Each structure stands twice: as structure tokens, then as C-alpha cells.
Amino acid sequence: MSYSPPSPPQEIPDDVVEMLNEQSPEVLQHIAQYAEGLAEHREREARLAEQDEEEQIEERPDDLPDDVPAKATITIKEINDNRYYYWQWREGEKVRSQYKGPVSPDD
């Protein structure tokens, strides 16, 4: 075992290295456990997001317009006692909609 401290990887920002160097061995152990768990969580989330994107691309409805994302769902809105289908999806904090057509009386 070496008596000199390890050299940090270049990928770790300097301010993080400085903060870590100020911590006790116990806190460093907690940070290491947290960092490992966080990395696993983010990798899992990235894999799930990638799978969702692949599934959405495969499940793209034939009648979905080109300017509507595959993640859009169909919503029914009632306007002046008439019902209409709208494509609806989220872009960041905003919900976007695009007219699809009237709801037929049979539906």
C-alpha cells in the first residue's frame, strides 16, 4: 500500500477534487457509495430511455404527421359541444397539441 494519496482522474473537475480532499475518510466512504449508486441509476435511466425511444419509433402510428413526435398521444377535447381528436405531447415544460380530426358519433 502506498503512503502517497492517489492522483485524481482528469475527468473529475478541480473543484470536486478540492472538496473531496477536505473530507474525512468516513465521509469519503459515504460519497463513494453514493456516487456508485448514482452512476448505476443514471446508466439504468439512460438504458430505459433508449429502449423507450426504440419502442416509440417502432410503434409510430401510420396516421401520425411528420411534425408530430412519436411520443405523442391522442387526446379528446370538447369545444362548443363538439369533440375533436388532438395529438398531444410535451416539449420541456410545455404541452403541445395538434389537431387530428373530429370524433365520429360512433366512437
Side-chain angles (χ1 to χ4, degrees):
M1 176 127 198
S2 174
Y3 290 103
S4 60
S7 298
Q10 291 180 341
E11 295 83 8
I12 298 178
D14 291 339
D15 58 332
V16 173
V17 172
E18 289 176 28
M19 185 272 307
L20 290 173
N21 285 332
E22 297 171 359
Q23 305 305 314
S24 70
E26 182 180 332
V27 171
L28 288 172
Q29 290 295 332
H30 291 296
I31 291 170
Q33 290 172 349
Y34 170 73
E36 186 173 332
L38 182 60
E40 289 173 2
H41 171 75
R42 290 195 178 164
E43 288 171 351
R44 182 175 51 251
E45 291 293 313
R47 282 193 311 273
L48 290 173
E50 186 177 304
Q51 287 174 351
D52 284 347
E53 287 177 14
E54 289 173 4
E55 289 172 5
Q56 288 175 358
I57 290 170
E58 292 171 8
E59 297 173 4
R60 186 174 179 92
D62 294 335
D63 61 344
L64 186 64
D66 290 337
D67 57 342
V68 174
K71 64 183 177 182
T73 58
I74 296 177
T75 305
I76 297 176
K77 294 184 180 184
E78 189 166 324
I79 302 170
N80 297 330
D81 294 327
N82 295 307
R83 295 169 37 143
Y84 302 94
Y85 287 119
Y86 281 83
W87 293 105
Q88 200 167 57
W89 65 97
R90 182 173 291 280
E91 287 181 2
E93 296 296 316
K94 295 186 176 187
V95 174
R96 302 288 186 193
S97 297
Q98 181 171 322
Y99 178 75
K100 181 179 185 318
V103 175
S104 68
D106 302 341
D107 292 342

